[in-house]
Amino acid sequence: MSEETKTLTQEDENKLIAQRREKLTALRENGTAFPNDFRRDSLAAGLHGLYQDKTTEELETMQVRVSVAGRMMAKRVMGKASFTKLQDMSGQIQLFLQRDNLPEGVYNEGFKKWDVGDLIGAEGVMFRTKTGELSIKVDKVRLLTKALRPLPEKFHGLTDTETRYRQRYVDLIMNWDVKETFKLRAKIIAFIREYFNEHEFMEVETPMMQVIPGGATAKPFETFHNALDLAMYLRIAPELYLKRLVVGGFERVFEINRSFRNEGVSTRHNPEFTMLEFYQAYADYHDLMDLTEDLLRRLATDVLGSATVKYQGEEHDFSRPFKRMTVFDSILEYNNDITAADISSIEAARKVAEALSIPMKNSYGLGKIQLEIFEKTVEHRLKDPTFITEYPKEVSPLARCNDTNPFVTDRFELFVGGREIANGFSELNDPEDQAERFRKQVMEKEAGDDEAMHYDADYIRALEHGMPPTAGEGIGIDRLVMLLTDQPSIRDVILFPHMRQEAEPQD
RNA sequence: GGGUCAUUAGCUCAGCUGGUAGAGCAGGAGACUCUUAAUCUCUUGGUCCGGGGUUCGAAUCCCUGAUGACCCA
């Protein structure tokens, strides 16, 4: 037993657990502690679906025999008869147990001694109680797994956020809506997968451990491969590998998986997060905006069942065309006191930024300053779905330059509810331009920006073989799920969010 | 990184100006064959987050640390 396990066990041991442990010991002596030979034929929700419309008399005539298994969530004993609520993966169903309808001793020596939280299996006949609740009249019942720890109080449940995240298993047992959120998350991801498969994209898996972390500006996690004697990084994005595949001739690829960024945690950031990235050859960023709009609209209507997405008290109609606006125009639109001239020269823009008390570095060019002003004054106000386009080249080291205005790139980001949901652009497939931009990033890294990109020579080599004109996009799945499930914190859509270490009891 | 708030029984929470730490649920014993936050009687249970300090006396006031939530950068 490890030191940590020992302290945890000793600290948490209390009378309630000790009593249950004694019951378990008795079960062990009977040789029936952890059986695995019970098989059920029905789920709670399935039974409700099949028999909710049947009357007491119909059920009496039908004599439907079922077996169910799950966790005992409530137990109400009234002398020689009892009710209990059984919870399985689908929902809950009430069981009715009578001493005289069970084999000798099962009721008094078994059931009455079991605890709320125990896992049981039961067989019986469907019926309706006097109050009309669909239930099972049980004639066989077994304890399948003894729960040593008591569940939280049944009425208020588990509300302490810290315990909910640290002991998600208890949260899932007690809070059905939490389960629903994660079921919805699974549905959203399944729908996205289906959508891209239908559009002839191929799902791929690219390295999560990379020698040169690329595809985004962010601080990576470092690790080490002993056998290869090689320093490695957890990926911050799959982008450069996916584009290598486009070079290789997989002209439509997508990947849904984790990326890692060595940054703080907040309601919007988890160190590991799930991203969808996809690349389509012979398409540009306008095509991807159209695709994104269609995808989100169908997600809302097909998965949520409504084109209107409610998020934190605000409604967003996904059936209407999403707004499209350039970074430049959006700054003017949301700042009445800023003129076009104010953000068209670096000197003027610097003054605007200083007035907004944005911390500035000498290395910032006009593009970076514009983006800072945008993030400070516009971003959080973009509630309804809005594509912001034409990001400055300076802050878009992997995006293709605009043909008419080389200061900006053919890039967009999608905002909903004041949050960035997606980022896409026509890809830079000019290897010489890309090499030049990598060199610029390396200079910034050497100047102290630890989020700046590395020079990836193999990626340049791939581009030198010729990447078809391509557009690519990344969508933050966690944030998308937050939006579609109306959750205010990223921790509510990640099953096991990262937290600080639990405090160790001091000796 | 900065600010605000929180941490008391297994869970959900009270605890006022500093004066013997409480309730409900859960648990234990008993009653009860249609309950559903079942009910009724009796009852067990505490490192008041940790560490310092002030005081005759601290869950309460002060300092410090830990963890969490929210806001800001």
Side-chain angles (χ1 to χ4, degrees), chain A residues 440-460:
Chain A
K440 225 171 207 167
Q441 288 286 316
V442 170
M443 279 166 61
E444 284 175 29
K445 186 169 269 306
E446 282 164 359
D449 183 354
D450 54 7
E451 292 191 349
M453 292 179 179
H454 294 70
Y455 189 98
D456 190 334
D458 177 72
Y459 178 65
I460 297 296

PDB file of all heavy atoms in Angstrom, chain A residues 440-460:
ATOM      1  N   LYS A 440      10.891  34.571 -38.789  1.00  0.00           N
ATOM      2  CA  LYS A 440      10.417  35.690 -37.977  1.00  0.00           C
ATOM      3  C   LYS A 440       9.977  35.220 -36.585  1.00  0.00           C
ATOM      4  O   LYS A 440      10.251  35.857 -35.563  1.00  0.00           O
ATOM      5  CB  LYS A 440       9.242  36.372 -38.689  1.00  0.00           C
ATOM      6  CG  LYS A 440       9.343  37.882 -38.683  1.00  0.00           C
ATOM      7  CD  LYS A 440       8.285  38.490 -39.568  1.00  0.00           C
ATOM      8  CE  LYS A 440       8.723  39.843 -40.096  1.00  0.00           C
ATOM      9  NZ  LYS A 440       7.892  40.339 -41.184  1.00  0.00           N
ATOM     10  N   GLN A 441       9.289  34.085 -36.570  1.00  0.00           N
ATOM     11  CA  GLN A 441       8.850  33.515 -35.298  1.00  0.00           C
ATOM     12  C   GLN A 441      10.054  33.163 -34.426  1.00  0.00           C
ATOM     13  O   GLN A 441      10.047  33.405 -33.218  1.00  0.00           O
ATOM     14  CB  GLN A 441       7.994  32.259 -35.546  1.00  0.00           C
ATOM     15  CG  GLN A 441       6.608  32.550 -36.106  1.00  0.00           C
ATOM     16  CD  GLN A 441       5.664  33.123 -35.067  1.00  0.00           C
ATOM     17  OE1 GLN A 441       5.621  32.642 -33.937  1.00  0.00           O
ATOM     18  NE2 GLN A 441       4.940  34.170 -35.430  1.00  0.00           N
ATOM     19  N   VAL A 442      11.061  32.578 -35.034  1.00  0.00           N
ATOM     20  CA  VAL A 442      12.253  32.190 -34.276  1.00  0.00           C
ATOM     21  C   VAL A 442      12.918  33.423 -33.679  1.00  0.00           C
ATOM     22  O   VAL A 442      13.372  33.406 -32.527  1.00  0.00           O
ATOM     23  CB  VAL A 442      13.231  31.404 -35.182  1.00  0.00           C
ATOM     24  CG1 VAL A 442      14.577  31.218 -34.472  1.00  0.00           C
ATOM     25  CG2 VAL A 442      12.644  30.049 -35.553  1.00  0.00           C
ATOM     26  N   MET A 443      12.932  34.525 -34.446  1.00  0.00           N
ATOM     27  CA  MET A 443      13.503  35.762 -33.906  1.00  0.00           C
ATOM     28  C   MET A 443      12.722  36.215 -32.679  1.00  0.00           C
ATOM     29  O   MET A 443      13.291  36.651 -31.685  1.00  0.00           O
ATOM     30  CB  MET A 443      13.476  36.866 -34.975  1.00  0.00           C
ATOM     31  CG  MET A 443      14.631  36.767 -35.966  1.00  0.00           C
ATOM     32  SD  MET A 443      14.353  37.815 -37.424  1.00  0.00           S
ATOM     33  CE  MET A 443      14.272  39.433 -36.654  1.00  0.00           C
ATOM     34  N   GLU A 444      11.405  36.089 -32.739  1.00  0.00           N
ATOM     35  CA  GLU A 444      10.584  36.482 -31.589  1.00  0.00           C
ATOM     36  C   GLU A 444      10.831  35.562 -30.407  1.00  0.00           C
ATOM     37  O   GLU A 444      10.857  35.991 -29.257  1.00  0.00           O
ATOM     38  CB  GLU A 444       9.099  36.488 -31.960  1.00  0.00           C
ATOM     39  CG  GLU A 444       8.731  37.713 -32.785  1.00  0.00           C
ATOM     40  CD  GLU A 444       7.286  37.689 -33.264  1.00  0.00           C
ATOM     41  OE1 GLU A 444       6.442  37.100 -32.574  1.00  0.00           O
ATOM     42  OE2 GLU A 444       7.026  38.258 -34.344  1.00  0.00           O
ATOM     43  N   LYS A 445      11.025  34.273 -30.704  1.00  0.00           N
ATOM     44  CA  LYS A 445      11.321  33.317 -29.632  1.00  0.00           C
ATOM     45  C   LYS A 445      12.637  33.700 -28.968  1.00  0.00           C
ATOM     46  O   LYS A 445      12.750  33.729 -27.739  1.00  0.00           O
ATOM     47  CB  LYS A 445      11.383  31.893 -30.183  1.00  0.00           C
ATOM     48  CG  LYS A 445      11.552  30.825 -29.100  1.00  0.00           C
ATOM     49  CD  LYS A 445      11.358  29.422 -29.629  1.00  0.00           C
ATOM     50  CE  LYS A 445       9.936  28.895 -29.558  1.00  0.00           C
ATOM     51  NZ  LYS A 445       9.273  28.932 -28.246  1.00  0.00           N
ATOM     52  N   GLU A 446      13.633  34.033 -29.811  1.00  0.00           N
ATOM     53  CA  GLU A 446      14.935  34.403 -29.259  1.00  0.00           C
ATOM     54  C   GLU A 446      14.866  35.714 -28.483  1.00  0.00           C
ATOM     55  O   GLU A 446      15.632  35.942 -27.556  1.00  0.00           O
ATOM     56  CB  GLU A 446      15.978  34.489 -30.382  1.00  0.00           C
ATOM     57  CG  GLU A 446      16.459  33.097 -30.802  1.00  0.00           C
ATOM     58  CD  GLU A 446      17.180  33.094 -32.146  1.00  0.00           C
ATOM     59  OE1 GLU A 446      17.290  34.172 -32.770  1.00  0.00           O
ATOM     60  OE2 GLU A 446      17.628  32.002 -32.548  1.00  0.00           O
ATOM     61  N   ALA A 447      13.902  36.554 -28.859  1.00  0.00           N
ATOM     62  CA  ALA A 447      13.719  37.822 -28.141  1.00  0.00           C
ATOM     63  C   ALA A 447      12.944  37.614 -26.835  1.00  0.00           C
ATOM     64  O   ALA A 447      12.673  38.563 -26.110  1.00  0.00           O
ATOM     65  CB  ALA A 447      12.998  38.826 -29.032  1.00  0.00           C
ATOM     66  N   GLY A 448      12.572  36.363 -26.541  1.00  0.00           N
ATOM     67  CA  GLY A 448      11.974  36.087 -25.239  1.00  0.00           C
ATOM     68  C   GLY A 448      10.516  35.658 -25.268  1.00  0.00           C
ATOM     69  O   GLY A 448       9.924  35.395 -24.224  1.00  0.00           O
ATOM     70  N   ASP A 449       9.892  35.562 -26.440  1.00  0.00           N
ATOM     71  CA  ASP A 449       8.500  35.121 -26.515  1.00  0.00           C
ATOM     72  C   ASP A 449       8.458  33.589 -26.538  1.00  0.00           C
ATOM     73  O   ASP A 449       8.700  32.964 -27.569  1.00  0.00           O
ATOM     74  CB  ASP A 449       7.839  35.696 -27.780  1.00  0.00           C
ATOM     75  CG  ASP A 449       6.359  35.325 -27.863  1.00  0.00           C
ATOM     76  OD1 ASP A 449       5.899  34.546 -27.006  1.00  0.00           O
ATOM     77  OD2 ASP A 449       5.674  35.809 -28.776  1.00  0.00           O
ATOM     78  N   ASP A 450       8.149  32.992 -25.383  1.00  0.00           N
ATOM     79  CA  ASP A 450       8.209  31.519 -25.324  1.00  0.00           C
ATOM     80  C   ASP A 450       6.989  30.861 -25.967  1.00  0.00           C
ATOM     81  O   ASP A 450       6.879  29.642 -26.008  1.00  0.00           O
ATOM     82  CB  ASP A 450       8.426  31.025 -23.886  1.00  0.00           C
ATOM     83  CG  ASP A 450       7.403  31.587 -22.923  1.00  0.00           C
ATOM     84  OD1 ASP A 450       6.452  32.239 -23.392  1.00  0.00           O
ATOM     85  OD2 ASP A 450       7.557  31.380 -21.708  1.00  0.00           O
ATOM     86  N   GLU A 451       6.073  31.672 -26.481  1.00  0.00           N
ATOM     87  CA  GLU A 451       4.941  31.093 -27.210  1.00  0.00           C
ATOM     88  C   GLU A 451       5.183  31.104 -28.724  1.00  0.00           C
ATOM     89  O   GLU A 451       4.406  30.534 -29.477  1.00  0.00           O
ATOM     90  CB  GLU A 451       3.663  31.872 -26.887  1.00  0.00           C
ATOM     91  CG  GLU A 451       3.199  31.694 -25.438  1.00  0.00           C
ATOM     92  CD  GLU A 451       1.796  32.242 -25.220  1.00  0.00           C
ATOM     93  OE1 GLU A 451       1.288  32.934 -26.119  1.00  0.00           O
ATOM     94  OE2 GLU A 451       1.228  31.968 -24.157  1.00  0.00           O
ATOM     95  N   ALA A 452       6.246  31.779 -29.159  1.00  0.00           N
ATOM     96  CA  ALA A 452       6.507  31.867 -30.597  1.00  0.00           C
ATOM     97  C   ALA A 452       6.851  30.483 -31.154  1.00  0.00           C
ATOM     98  O   ALA A 452       7.234  29.574 -30.433  1.00  0.00           O
ATOM     99  CB  ALA A 452       7.641  32.847 -30.862  1.00  0.00           C
ATOM    100  N   MET A 453       6.699  30.358 -32.492  1.00  0.00           N
ATOM    101  CA  MET A 453       6.859  29.039 -33.110  1.00  0.00           C
ATOM    102  C   MET A 453       8.321  28.680 -33.353  1.00  0.00           C
ATOM    103  O   MET A 453       9.182  29.548 -33.443  1.00  0.00           O
ATOM    104  CB  MET A 453       6.131  29.027 -34.458  1.00  0.00           C
ATOM    105  CG  MET A 453       4.621  29.102 -34.331  1.00  0.00           C
ATOM    106  SD  MET A 453       3.832  29.118 -35.960  1.00  0.00           S
ATOM    107  CE  MET A 453       2.107  29.189 -35.486  1.00  0.00           C
ATOM    108  N   HIS A 454       8.561  27.366 -33.483  1.00  0.00           N
ATOM    109  CA  HIS A 454       9.868  26.859 -33.886  1.00  0.00           C
ATOM    110  C   HIS A 454       9.940  26.858 -35.415  1.00  0.00           C
ATOM    111  O   HIS A 454       8.930  26.932 -36.099  1.00  0.00           O
ATOM    112  CB  HIS A 454      10.071  25.417 -33.405  1.00  0.00           C
ATOM    113  CG  HIS A 454      10.137  25.274 -31.918  1.00  0.00           C
ATOM    114  ND1 HIS A 454       9.046  25.459 -31.113  1.00  0.00           N
ATOM    115  CD2 HIS A 454      11.171  24.947 -31.106  1.00  0.00           C
ATOM    116  CE1 HIS A 454       9.393  25.251 -29.847  1.00  0.00           C
ATOM    117  NE2 HIS A 454      10.682  24.944 -29.820  1.00  0.00           N
ATOM    118  N   TYR A 455      11.158  26.730 -35.925  1.00  0.00           N
ATOM    119  CA  TYR A 455      11.343  26.529 -37.368  1.00  0.00           C
ATOM    120  C   TYR A 455      11.221  25.039 -37.638  1.00  0.00           C
ATOM    121  O   TYR A 455      11.976  24.229 -37.090  1.00  0.00           O
ATOM    122  CB  TYR A 455      12.722  27.036 -37.801  1.00  0.00           C
ATOM    123  CG  TYR A 455      12.893  27.070 -39.309  1.00  0.00           C
ATOM    124  CD1 TYR A 455      12.716  28.253 -40.012  1.00  0.00           C
ATOM    125  CD2 TYR A 455      13.213  25.912 -40.018  1.00  0.00           C
ATOM    126  CE1 TYR A 455      12.856  28.287 -41.394  1.00  0.00           C
ATOM    127  CE2 TYR A 455      13.344  25.935 -41.390  1.00  0.00           C
ATOM    128  CZ  TYR A 455      13.172  27.121 -42.074  1.00  0.00           C
ATOM    129  OH  TYR A 455      13.307  27.146 -43.443  1.00  0.00           O
ATOM    130  N   ASP A 456      10.271  24.661 -38.478  1.00  0.00           N
ATOM    131  CA  ASP A 456      10.050  23.245 -38.751  1.00  0.00           C
ATOM    132  C   ASP A 456      10.513  22.943 -40.182  1.00  0.00           C
ATOM    133  O   ASP A 456       9.774  23.132 -41.152  1.00  0.00           O
ATOM    134  CB  ASP A 456       8.561  22.905 -38.572  1.00  0.00           C
ATOM    135  CG  ASP A 456       8.314  21.398 -38.596  1.00  0.00           C
ATOM    136  OD1 ASP A 456       9.122  20.670 -39.220  1.00  0.00           O
ATOM    137  OD2 ASP A 456       7.322  20.951 -37.989  1.00  0.00           O
ATOM    138  N   ALA A 457      11.763  22.485 -40.285  1.00  0.00           N
ATOM    139  CA  ALA A 457      12.386  22.298 -41.609  1.00  0.00           C
ATOM    140  C   ALA A 457      11.690  21.196 -42.407  1.00  0.00           C
ATOM    141  O   ALA A 457      11.549  21.296 -43.627  1.00  0.00           O
ATOM    142  CB  ALA A 457      13.867  21.977 -41.439  1.00  0.00           C
ATOM    143  N   ASP A 458      11.241  20.156 -41.692  1.00  0.00           N
ATOM    144  CA  ASP A 458      10.585  19.079 -42.431  1.00  0.00           C
ATOM    145  C   ASP A 458       9.249  19.545 -43.006  1.00  0.00           C
ATOM    146  O   ASP A 458       8.857  19.117 -44.093  1.00  0.00           O
ATOM    147  CB  ASP A 458      10.358  17.861 -41.524  1.00  0.00           C
ATOM    148  CG  ASP A 458       9.602  16.769 -42.254  1.00  0.00           C
ATOM    149  OD1 ASP A 458      10.201  16.128 -43.146  1.00  0.00           O
ATOM    150  OD2 ASP A 458       8.397  16.579 -41.973  1.00  0.00           O
ATOM    151  N   TYR A 459       8.581  20.426 -42.283  1.00  0.00           N
ATOM    152  CA  TYR A 459       7.311  20.951 -42.797  1.00  0.00           C
ATOM    153  C   TYR A 459       7.566  21.783 -44.057  1.00  0.00           C
ATOM    154  O   TYR A 459       6.832  21.675 -45.047  1.00  0.00           O
ATOM    155  CB  TYR A 459       6.605  21.787 -41.729  1.00  0.00           C
ATOM    156  CG  TYR A 459       5.314  22.392 -42.225  1.00  0.00           C
ATOM    157  CD1 TYR A 459       4.242  21.582 -42.572  1.00  0.00           C
ATOM    158  CD2 TYR A 459       5.175  23.770 -42.369  1.00  0.00           C
ATOM    159  CE1 TYR A 459       3.064  22.129 -43.057  1.00  0.00           C
ATOM    160  CE2 TYR A 459       4.003  24.329 -42.842  1.00  0.00           C
ATOM    161  CZ  TYR A 459       2.945  23.505 -43.186  1.00  0.00           C
ATOM    162  OH  TYR A 459       1.783  24.043 -43.664  1.00  0.00           O
ATOM    163  N   ILE A 460       8.643  22.572 -44.046  1.00  0.00           N
ATOM    164  CA  ILE A 460       9.006  23.336 -45.239  1.00  0.00           C
ATOM    165  C   ILE A 460       9.311  22.375 -46.398  1.00  0.00           C
ATOM    166  O   ILE A 460       8.856  22.571 -47.532  1.00  0.00           O
ATOM    167  CB  ILE A 460      10.236  24.240 -44.962  1.00  0.00           C
ATOM    168  CG1 ILE A 460       9.894  25.275 -43.873  1.00  0.00           C
ATOM    169  CG2 ILE A 460      10.702  24.926 -46.239  1.00  0.00           C
ATOM    170  CD1 ILE A 460       8.825  26.269 -44.254  1.00  0.00           C
TER     171      ILE A 460
END
